[in-house]
Amino acid sequence: MRVGLDVGGTKIDALALGTDDTIVARTRVSTGWGDAAVVAAVHDAIDALAVEGGFATLDVASVGIGIPGLVDAAGGRVLHAVNLGVSELDLASAVRERLPVAVAVENDVKAAALGAGSLRGDAHSMAYLNLGTGVAAGIVIDGGLWRGARGTAGEIGHLSVDPNGRVCGCGQRGCIETFCGGGAIARAWGRGGVLPVLDIFDLAEAGDPLAVELRAGIAYGAASAVRCLVLSADVETVVIGGGITALGDRLRDDVARRLRLEGEGSAFIGALRLDERIELLPAGSPAAALGAALVGAAHLHTHLHTHEGAFHG
């Protein structure tokens, strides 16, 4: 069994892949706060999968973990996962203390990019754009993640597209994240609410001036991200996921309309047909957990190959 875990601020989405690459079990458990609690929650998720799938934890060959924050994928460490109360944690080693199998750790958005590519059956040239509390992307080329020279490929949220815009948490003005990141939207809205983005869309349709402005900004920010991903990496498809995509077709239609508008003002941009190159990740998709499982399985393959080479001298 190859286990994949998508560790979020409140829950872990977990799944297990069988030998034929089918999902044999999927479950969710609560996420803890702090280093020890996060490690314990990872083990709880693995145990829950074993019960759900009817297999023993001894049958687990690899564990892949997608987690927010800065991730040292080579070392299996996670840094500054502030929503989990983790500042620095050697997560792979901590998990292996109880379950001595191949364990790989990856940034959650990059893991979701791999999973989205696998679900589409086409990981040749695509990007996964995550519109959540923040904005980031994972870029998949020929089935593998493109990390860039220093691992920052896909940090699309911190591209400034309006030098006179709102101040971003990174210190710049008018970053893409200030337009379509959930945290920035909620602060600009300033009216509270359980789902501020949903309120904004609903009230924009009723003519509320601030809601109209912010809704247009969401489309502008997301369209800017799509345009930058295509122009910089020439990906064929941009799959949009994250919490904001709960808006469904209303979000997709807004972004597509904005992309068409930009294409009308530029023959070059219009020729790219950007509005035809976007799609939403289906609600409830296991992309992130699946991608994590694939990362873990790849780590297992590398581990076995390395040991085999050493054995044979």
Side-chain angles (χ1 to χ4, degrees), residues 100-164:
V101 299
V103 179
V105 183
E106 183 56 85
N107 172 265
D108 57 344
V109 174
K110 287 182 170 60
L114 281 176
S118 177
L119 288 170
R120 294 182 75 253
D122 175 19
H124 174 64
S125 173
M126 63 152 286
Y128 170 74
L129 174 61
N130 187 76
L131 303 181
T133 302
V135 177
I139 300 170
V140 179
I141 304 295
D142 292 333
L145 286 170
W146 180 44
R147 300 179 183 279
R150 301 188 181 184
T152 56
E155 286 295 339
I156 201 80
H158 297 299
L159 277 174
S160 176
V161 291
D162 180 4
N164 298 313

Short mmCIF file of all heavy atoms in Angstrom, two decimals, residues 100-164:
data_model
loop_
_atom_site.label_atom_id
_atom_site.label_comp_id
_atom_site.label_asym_id
_atom_site.label_seq_id
_atom_site.Cartn_x
_atom_site.Cartn_y
_atom_site.Cartn_z
N PRO A 100 8.76 2.40 9.99
CA PRO A 100 10.02 2.45 9.24
C PRO A 100 9.85 2.09 7.76
O PRO A 100 10.23 1.00 7.31
CB PRO A 100 10.89 1.43 9.98
CG PRO A 100 9.93 0.44 10.53
CD PRO A 100 8.69 1.22 10.89
N VAL A 101 9.26 3.01 7.01
CA VAL A 101 9.08 2.83 5.57
C VAL A 101 9.59 4.09 4.87
O VAL A 101 10.01 5.05 5.51
CB VAL A 101 7.60 2.59 5.21
CG1 VAL A 101 7.08 1.32 5.90
CG2 VAL A 101 6.74 3.80 5.59
N ALA A 102 9.57 4.08 3.55
CA ALA A 102 9.96 5.27 2.79
C ALA A 102 8.93 6.38 3.04
O ALA A 102 7.73 6.18 2.85
CB ALA A 102 10.03 4.94 1.30
N VAL A 103 9.40 7.54 3.48
CA VAL A 103 8.52 8.68 3.77
C VAL A 103 9.05 9.89 3.01
O VAL A 103 10.23 10.23 3.11
CB VAL A 103 8.46 9.00 5.27
CG1 VAL A 103 7.55 10.20 5.53
CG2 VAL A 103 7.98 7.79 6.06
N ALA A 104 8.18 10.53 2.24
CA ALA A 104 8.54 11.73 1.49
C ALA A 104 7.60 12.86 1.87
O ALA A 104 6.42 12.63 2.14
CB ALA A 104 8.46 11.47 -0.01
N VAL A 105 8.15 14.06 1.90
CA VAL A 105 7.38 15.25 2.26
C VAL A 105 7.46 16.25 1.11
O VAL A 105 8.53 16.47 0.55
CB VAL A 105 7.90 15.89 3.56
CG1 VAL A 105 7.04 17.10 3.95
CG2 VAL A 105 7.93 14.86 4.69
N GLU A 106 6.32 16.84 0.76
CA GLU A 106 6.27 17.79 -0.35
C GLU A 106 5.31 18.93 0.01
O GLU A 106 4.39 18.76 0.82
CB GLU A 106 5.78 17.08 -1.62
CG GLU A 106 5.73 17.93 -2.88
CD GLU A 106 7.06 18.57 -3.20
OE1 GLU A 106 7.89 17.91 -3.85
OE2 GLU A 106 7.26 19.74 -2.78
N ASN A 107 5.54 20.08 -0.55
CA ASN A 107 4.59 21.19 -0.40
C ASN A 107 3.22 20.75 -0.92
O ASN A 107 3.12 20.08 -1.95
CB ASN A 107 5.10 22.40 -1.18
CG ASN A 107 4.09 23.52 -1.23
OD1 ASN A 107 3.33 23.62 -2.19
ND2 ASN A 107 4.06 24.34 -0.20
N ASP A 108 2.17 21.14 -0.22
CA ASP A 108 0.83 20.65 -0.55
C ASP A 108 0.36 21.06 -1.94
O ASP A 108 -0.30 20.28 -2.64
CB ASP A 108 -0.19 21.07 0.51
CG ASP A 108 -0.26 22.58 0.72
OD1 ASP A 108 0.66 23.30 0.28
OD2 ASP A 108 -1.23 23.05 1.33
N VAL A 109 0.70 22.27 -2.38
CA VAL A 109 0.27 22.71 -3.70
C VAL A 109 1.00 21.93 -4.79
O VAL A 109 0.40 21.53 -5.80
CB VAL A 109 0.48 24.22 -3.87
CG1 VAL A 109 0.16 24.66 -5.29
CG2 VAL A 109 -0.40 24.99 -2.88
N LYS A 110 2.29 21.69 -4.60
CA LYS A 110 3.04 20.92 -5.58
C LYS A 110 2.53 19.48 -5.64
O LYS A 110 2.43 18.88 -6.72
CB LYS A 110 4.54 20.95 -5.26
CG LYS A 110 5.20 22.30 -5.55
CD LYS A 110 6.68 22.25 -5.26
CE LYS A 110 7.39 23.51 -5.78
NZ LYS A 110 6.90 24.75 -5.20
N ALA A 111 2.20 18.91 -4.48
CA ALA A 111 1.62 17.56 -4.47
C ALA A 111 0.29 17.54 -5.22
O ALA A 111 0.02 16.62 -6.00
CB ALA A 111 1.43 17.08 -3.03
N ALA A 112 -0.53 18.56 -4.99
CA ALA A 112 -1.83 18.63 -5.67
C ALA A 112 -1.65 18.75 -7.18
O ALA A 112 -2.46 18.22 -7.95
CB ALA A 112 -2.64 19.81 -5.14
N ALA A 113 -0.60 19.43 -7.61
CA ALA A 113 -0.33 19.54 -9.05
C ALA A 113 -0.08 18.17 -9.66
O ALA A 113 -0.61 17.83 -10.72
CB ALA A 113 0.86 20.46 -9.29
N LEU A 114 0.73 17.36 -8.98
CA LEU A 114 0.99 16.00 -9.47
C LEU A 114 -0.28 15.18 -9.49
O LEU A 114 -0.55 14.44 -10.45
CB LEU A 114 2.04 15.32 -8.59
CG LEU A 114 3.49 15.68 -8.81
CD1 LEU A 114 4.36 14.97 -7.77
CD2 LEU A 114 3.95 15.30 -10.22
N GLY A 115 -1.08 15.30 -8.44
CA GLY A 115 -2.33 14.54 -8.37
C GLY A 115 -3.32 14.96 -9.44
O GLY A 115 -3.98 14.13 -10.06
N ALA A 116 -3.42 16.27 -9.68
CA ALA A 116 -4.33 16.75 -10.72
C ALA A 116 -3.91 16.24 -12.09
O ALA A 116 -4.74 15.84 -12.90
CB ALA A 116 -4.36 18.28 -10.71
N GLY A 117 -2.61 16.22 -12.34
CA GLY A 117 -2.11 15.70 -13.61
C GLY A 117 -2.43 14.23 -13.78
O GLY A 117 -2.83 13.78 -14.86
N SER A 118 -2.30 13.47 -12.70
CA SER A 118 -2.59 12.05 -12.75
C SER A 118 -4.08 11.80 -12.99
O SER A 118 -4.46 10.94 -13.80
CB SER A 118 -2.15 11.38 -11.44
OG SER A 118 -2.48 10.00 -11.43
N LEU A 119 -4.93 12.56 -12.31
CA LEU A 119 -6.38 12.39 -12.47
C LEU A 119 -6.83 12.74 -13.88
O LEU A 119 -7.74 12.12 -14.42
CB LEU A 119 -7.11 13.27 -11.45
CG LEU A 119 -7.05 12.81 -10.00
CD1 LEU A 119 -7.60 13.88 -9.08
CD2 LEU A 119 -7.79 11.50 -9.80
N ARG A 120 -6.17 13.73 -14.49
CA ARG A 120 -6.53 14.12 -15.84
C ARG A 120 -6.00 13.13 -16.87
O ARG A 120 -6.42 13.13 -18.02
CB ARG A 120 -5.98 15.51 -16.17
CG ARG A 120 -6.58 16.64 -15.37
CD ARG A 120 -6.02 17.99 -15.80
NE ARG A 120 -6.60 18.40 -17.09
CZ ARG A 120 -5.95 18.40 -18.23
NH1 ARG A 120 -4.70 17.99 -18.29
NH2 ARG A 120 -6.55 18.80 -19.35
N GLY A 121 -5.03 12.31 -16.46
CA GLY A 121 -4.40 11.39 -17.40
C GLY A 121 -3.50 12.11 -18.38
O GLY A 121 -3.18 11.60 -19.45
N ASP A 122 -3.08 13.34 -17.99
CA ASP A 122 -2.23 14.14 -18.87
C ASP A 122 -1.39 15.07 -18.01
O ASP A 122 -1.83 16.13 -17.60
CB ASP A 122 -3.07 14.96 -19.84
CG ASP A 122 -2.22 15.91 -20.69
OD1 ASP A 122 -1.01 15.67 -20.78
OD2 ASP A 122 -2.79 16.85 -21.26
N ALA A 123 -0.18 14.63 -17.71
CA ALA A 123 0.73 15.45 -16.91
C ALA A 123 1.89 15.94 -17.76
O ALA A 123 2.99 16.17 -17.29
CB ALA A 123 1.25 14.64 -15.72
N HIS A 124 1.63 16.08 -19.06
CA HIS A 124 2.71 16.49 -19.97
C HIS A 124 3.04 17.97 -19.82
O HIS A 124 4.21 18.35 -19.77
CB HIS A 124 2.30 16.20 -21.43
CG HIS A 124 3.28 16.72 -22.43
ND1 HIS A 124 4.57 16.25 -22.52
CD2 HIS A 124 3.17 17.69 -23.37
CE1 HIS A 124 5.21 16.90 -23.48
NE2 HIS A 124 4.38 17.78 -24.00
N SER A 125 2.01 18.80 -19.72
CA SER A 125 2.24 20.24 -19.66
C SER A 125 1.04 20.91 -19.02
O SER A 125 0.06 21.23 -19.68
CB SER A 125 2.46 20.79 -21.08
OG SER A 125 2.52 22.18 -21.07
N MET A 126 1.11 21.09 -17.70
CA MET A 126 -0.01 21.70 -17.00
C MET A 126 0.46 22.41 -15.74
O MET A 126 1.57 22.18 -15.26
CB MET A 126 -1.06 20.64 -16.62
CG MET A 126 -0.56 19.58 -15.66
SD MET A 126 -1.87 18.87 -14.63
CE MET A 126 -2.16 20.20 -13.47
N ALA A 127 -0.38 23.29 -15.25
CA ALA A 127 -0.14 23.95 -13.98
C ALA A 127 -1.38 23.80 -13.12
O ALA A 127 -2.50 23.76 -13.63
CB ALA A 127 0.19 25.43 -14.19
N TYR A 128 -1.16 23.69 -11.82
CA TYR A 128 -2.26 23.68 -10.87
C TYR A 128 -2.20 25.00 -10.11
O TYR A 128 -1.20 25.31 -9.46
CB TYR A 128 -2.12 22.50 -9.91
CG TYR A 128 -3.09 22.56 -8.74
CD1 TYR A 128 -4.43 22.29 -8.92
CD2 TYR A 128 -2.65 22.91 -7.47
CE1 TYR A 128 -5.32 22.36 -7.86
CE2 TYR A 128 -3.52 22.97 -6.40
CZ TYR A 128 -4.86 22.70 -6.60
OH TYR A 128 -5.75 22.78 -5.56
N LEU A 129 -3.25 25.80 -10.22
CA LEU A 129 -3.32 27.10 -9.56
C LEU A 129 -4.22 26.99 -8.34
O LEU A 129 -5.41 26.73 -8.47
CB LEU A 129 -3.88 28.15 -10.53
CG LEU A 129 -4.15 29.55 -9.97
CD1 LEU A 129 -2.88 30.19 -9.45
CD2 LEU A 129 -4.82 30.42 -11.03
N ASN A 130 -3.64 27.17 -7.17
CA ASN A 130 -4.39 27.03 -5.93
C ASN A 130 -4.83 28.40 -5.42
O ASN A 130 -4.01 29.24 -5.07
CB ASN A 130 -3.54 26.34 -4.86
CG ASN A 130 -4.34 26.00 -3.61
OD1 ASN A 130 -5.12 25.06 -3.61
ND2 ASN A 130 -4.15 26.78 -2.56
N LEU A 131 -6.15 28.61 -5.40
CA LEU A 131 -6.73 29.83 -4.86
C LEU A 131 -7.31 29.51 -3.50
O LEU A 131 -8.49 29.13 -3.37
CB LEU A 131 -7.82 30.37 -5.80
CG LEU A 131 -7.40 30.65 -7.25
CD1 LEU A 131 -8.60 31.20 -8.04
CD2 LEU A 131 -6.24 31.62 -7.31
N GLY A 132 -6.50 29.63 -2.48
CA GLY A 132 -6.93 29.35 -1.12
C GLY A 132 -6.75 30.60 -0.27
O GLY A 132 -7.00 31.71 -0.73
N THR A 133 -6.31 30.42 0.97
CA THR A 133 -6.00 31.58 1.81
C THR A 133 -4.95 32.44 1.12
O THR A 133 -5.01 33.66 1.12
CB THR A 133 -5.50 31.12 3.18
OG1 THR A 133 -6.51 30.30 3.79
CG2 THR A 133 -5.20 32.31 4.08
N GLY A 134 -3.97 31.76 0.52
CA GLY A 134 -2.98 32.41 -0.33
C GLY A 134 -3.12 31.90 -1.75
O GLY A 134 -4.05 31.16 -2.07
N VAL A 135 -2.19 32.31 -2.61
CA VAL A 135 -2.21 31.89 -4.01
C VAL A 135 -0.84 31.34 -4.38
O VAL A 135 0.18 31.99 -4.15
CB VAL A 135 -2.57 33.06 -4.94
CG1 VAL A 135 -2.51 32.64 -6.40
CG2 VAL A 135 -3.95 33.62 -4.61
N ALA A 136 -0.84 30.14 -4.94
CA ALA A 136 0.42 29.53 -5.40
C ALA A 136 0.08 28.53 -6.49
O ALA A 136 -1.08 28.17 -6.70
CB ALA A 136 1.15 28.85 -4.25
N ALA A 137 1.11 28.08 -7.18
CA ALA A 137 0.89 27.12 -8.26
C ALA A 137 1.97 26.06 -8.24
O ALA A 137 3.07 26.26 -7.71
CB ALA A 137 0.89 27.84 -9.61
N GLY A 138 1.63 24.92 -8.81
CA GLY A 138 2.59 23.85 -9.05
C GLY A 138 2.62 23.60 -10.55
O GLY A 138 1.58 23.58 -11.20
N ILE A 139 3.80 23.43 -11.09
CA ILE A 139 3.96 23.26 -12.53
C ILE A 139 4.49 21.86 -12.81
O ILE A 139 5.49 21.43 -12.23
CB ILE A 139 4.93 24.32 -13.10
CG1 ILE A 139 4.38 25.73 -12.82
CG2 ILE A 139 5.14 24.11 -14.60
CD1 ILE A 139 5.37 26.83 -13.12
N VAL A 140 3.78 21.13 -13.66
CA VAL A 140 4.15 19.76 -14.00
C VAL A 140 4.51 19.68 -15.48
O VAL A 140 3.71 20.03 -16.34
CB VAL A 140 2.99 18.78 -13.70
CG1 VAL A 140 3.38 17.35 -14.07
CG2 VAL A 140 2.60 18.86 -12.22
N ILE A 141 5.72 19.25 -15.74
CA ILE A 141 6.21 19.10 -17.11
C ILE A 141 6.68 17.66 -17.30
O ILE A 141 7.51 17.17 -16.53
CB ILE A 141 7.37 20.07 -17.41
CG1 ILE A 141 6.96 21.52 -17.14
CG2 ILE A 141 7.85 19.89 -18.85
CD1 ILE A 141 5.87 22.05 -18.04
N ASP A 142 6.14 16.99 -18.29
CA ASP A 142 6.51 15.60 -18.58
C ASP A 142 6.43 14.71 -17.34
O ASP A 142 7.31 13.89 -17.08
CB ASP A 142 7.92 15.54 -19.19
CG ASP A 142 7.98 16.16 -20.58
OD1 ASP A 142 6.93 16.16 -21.26
OD2 ASP A 142 9.05 16.64 -20.97
N GLY A 143 5.38 14.89 -16.57
CA GLY A 143 5.12 14.03 -15.43
C GLY A 143 5.87 14.36 -14.16
O GLY A 143 5.66 13.74 -13.12
N GLY A 144 6.76 15.35 -14.20
CA GLY A 144 7.52 15.72 -13.01
C GLY A 144 7.34 17.17 -12.64
O GLY A 144 6.97 18.02 -13.47
N LEU A 145 7.58 17.50 -11.39
CA LEU A 145 7.46 18.87 -10.92
C LEU A 145 8.62 19.71 -11.43
O LEU A 145 9.78 19.29 -11.41
CB LEU A 145 7.45 18.91 -9.39
CG LEU A 145 6.18 18.45 -8.69
CD1 LEU A 145 6.44 18.32 -7.20
CD2 LEU A 145 5.04 19.43 -8.95
N TRP A 146 8.29 20.90 -11.89
CA TRP A 146 9.33 21.86 -12.25
C TRP A 146 9.47 22.82 -11.07
O TRP A 146 8.58 23.58 -10.76
CB TRP A 146 8.95 22.63 -13.52
CG TRP A 146 9.98 23.63 -13.92
CD1 TRP A 146 11.34 23.47 -13.94
CD2 TRP A 146 9.75 24.98 -14.34
NE1 TRP A 146 11.96 24.61 -14.36
CE2 TRP A 146 11.01 25.57 -14.61
CE3 TRP A 146 8.59 25.74 -14.53
CZ2 TRP A 146 11.15 26.87 -15.05
CZ3 TRP A 146 8.73 27.05 -14.97
CH2 TRP A 146 9.99 27.60 -15.23
N ARG A 147 10.63 22.73 -10.39
CA ARG A 147 10.85 23.50 -9.17
C ARG A 147 11.57 24.82 -9.42
O ARG A 147 11.47 25.74 -8.62
CB ARG A 147 11.66 22.67 -8.16
CG ARG A 147 10.98 21.39 -7.76
CD ARG A 147 11.85 20.60 -6.78
NE ARG A 147 11.24 19.33 -6.45
CZ ARG A 147 10.28 19.17 -5.56
NH1 ARG A 147 9.83 20.23 -4.90
NH2 ARG A 147 9.77 17.99 -5.31
N GLY A 148 12.33 24.91 -10.51
CA GLY A 148 13.14 26.09 -10.75
C GLY A 148 14.48 25.98 -10.05
O GLY A 148 14.80 24.99 -9.39
N ALA A 149 15.30 27.02 -10.17
CA ALA A 149 16.67 26.99 -9.65
C ALA A 149 16.72 26.90 -8.14
O ALA A 149 17.60 26.24 -7.57
CB ALA A 149 17.43 28.24 -10.12
N ARG A 150 15.78 27.54 -7.45
CA ARG A 150 15.80 27.55 -5.98
C ARG A 150 14.48 27.08 -5.37
O ARG A 150 14.19 27.38 -4.21
CB ARG A 150 16.14 28.96 -5.47
CG ARG A 150 17.49 29.45 -5.98
CD ARG A 150 17.91 30.74 -5.34
NE ARG A 150 19.19 31.20 -5.86
CZ ARG A 150 19.83 32.28 -5.41
NH1 ARG A 150 19.30 33.01 -4.43
NH2 ARG A 150 20.99 32.63 -5.93
N GLY A 151 13.70 26.39 -6.15
CA GLY A 151 12.48 25.81 -5.62
C GLY A 151 11.29 26.75 -5.55
O GLY A 151 10.26 26.40 -4.98
N THR A 152 11.41 27.94 -6.13
CA THR A 152 10.31 28.90 -6.02
C THR A 152 9.43 28.96 -7.27
O THR A 152 8.55 29.82 -7.35
CB THR A 152 10.85 30.32 -5.73
OG1 THR A 152 11.79 30.68 -6.75
CG2 THR A 152 11.53 30.36 -4.38
N ALA A 153 9.65 28.07 -8.23
CA ALA A 153 8.78 28.06 -9.41
C ALA A 153 7.33 27.84 -8.97
O ALA A 153 7.04 26.96 -8.17
CB ALA A 153 9.21 26.94 -10.36
N GLY A 154 6.44 28.68 -9.47
CA GLY A 154 5.03 28.56 -9.11
C GLY A 154 4.57 29.51 -8.02
O GLY A 154 3.38 29.55 -7.71
N GLU A 155 5.48 30.31 -7.44
CA GLU A 155 5.05 31.28 -6.41
C GLU A 155 4.38 32.47 -7.09
O GLU A 155 4.79 33.62 -6.96
CB GLU A 155 6.25 31.72 -5.56
CG GLU A 155 6.72 30.67 -4.59
CD GLU A 155 5.68 30.35 -3.52
OE1 GLU A 155 4.78 31.18 -3.27
OE2 GLU A 155 5.77 29.25 -2.93
N ILE A 156 3.34 32.14 -7.81
CA ILE A 156 2.67 33.10 -8.67
C ILE A 156 1.94 34.19 -7.88
O ILE A 156 1.71 35.29 -8.37
CB ILE A 156 1.67 32.33 -9.59
CG1 ILE A 156 1.31 33.16 -10.83
CG2 ILE A 156 0.43 31.89 -8.83
CD1 ILE A 156 2.35 33.09 -11.89
N GLY A 157 1.60 33.89 -6.64
CA GLY A 157 0.84 34.85 -5.85
C GLY A 157 1.59 36.13 -5.56
O GLY A 157 0.98 37.16 -5.26
N HIS A 158 2.91 36.08 -5.64
CA HIS A 158 3.71 37.27 -5.30
C HIS A 158 4.31 37.95 -6.52
O HIS A 158 5.36 38.58 -6.44
CB HIS A 158 4.77 36.89 -4.27
CG HIS A 158 4.16 36.43 -2.98
ND1 HIS A 158 3.35 37.25 -2.22
CD2 HIS A 158 4.17 35.23 -2.36
CE1 HIS A 158 2.92 36.58 -1.17
NE2 HIS A 158 3.39 35.35 -1.24
N LEU A 159 3.61 37.83 -7.64
CA LEU A 159 3.89 38.66 -8.80
C LEU A 159 3.02 39.90 -8.71
O LEU A 159 1.80 39.81 -8.57
CB LEU A 159 3.58 37.92 -10.10
CG LEU A 159 4.65 36.96 -10.63
CD1 LEU A 159 4.11 36.20 -11.83
CD2 LEU A 159 5.90 37.73 -11.02
N SER A 160 3.64 41.07 -8.76
CA SER A 160 2.88 42.31 -8.67
C SER A 160 2.27 42.64 -10.03
O SER A 160 2.98 42.69 -11.04
CB SER A 160 3.78 43.46 -8.22
OG SER A 160 3.07 44.69 -8.22
N VAL A 161 0.96 42.86 -10.04
CA VAL A 161 0.27 43.22 -11.28
C VAL A 161 -0.40 44.59 -11.17
O VAL A 161 -1.09 45.02 -12.08
CB VAL A 161 -0.79 42.14 -11.65
CG1 VAL A 161 -0.09 40.85 -12.06
CG2 VAL A 161 -1.76 41.88 -10.50
N ASP A 162 -0.17 45.26 -10.03
CA ASP A 162 -0.70 46.62 -9.84
C ASP A 162 0.19 47.33 -8.81
O ASP A 162 -0.02 47.19 -7.60
CB ASP A 162 -2.14 46.58 -9.35
CG ASP A 162 -2.72 47.98 -9.14
OD1 ASP A 162 -2.02 48.97 -9.45
OD2 ASP A 162 -3.86 48.09 -8.65
N PRO A 163 1.17 48.10 -9.27
CA PRO A 163 2.10 48.75 -8.33
C PRO A 163 1.42 49.74 -7.39
O PRO A 163 2.01 50.14 -6.39
CB PRO A 163 3.10 49.45 -9.26
CG PRO A 163 2.40 49.60 -10.57
CD PRO A 163 1.49 48.41 -10.68
N ASN A 164 0.19 50.13 -7.67
CA ASN A 164 -0.55 51.04 -6.79
C ASN A 164 -1.60 50.31 -5.96
O ASN A 164 -2.43 50.95 -5.31
CB ASN A 164 -1.23 52.13 -7.63
CG ASN A 164 -0.23 52.99 -8.39
OD1 ASN A 164 0.77 53.43 -7.81
ND2 ASN A 164 -0.47 53.20 -9.67
#
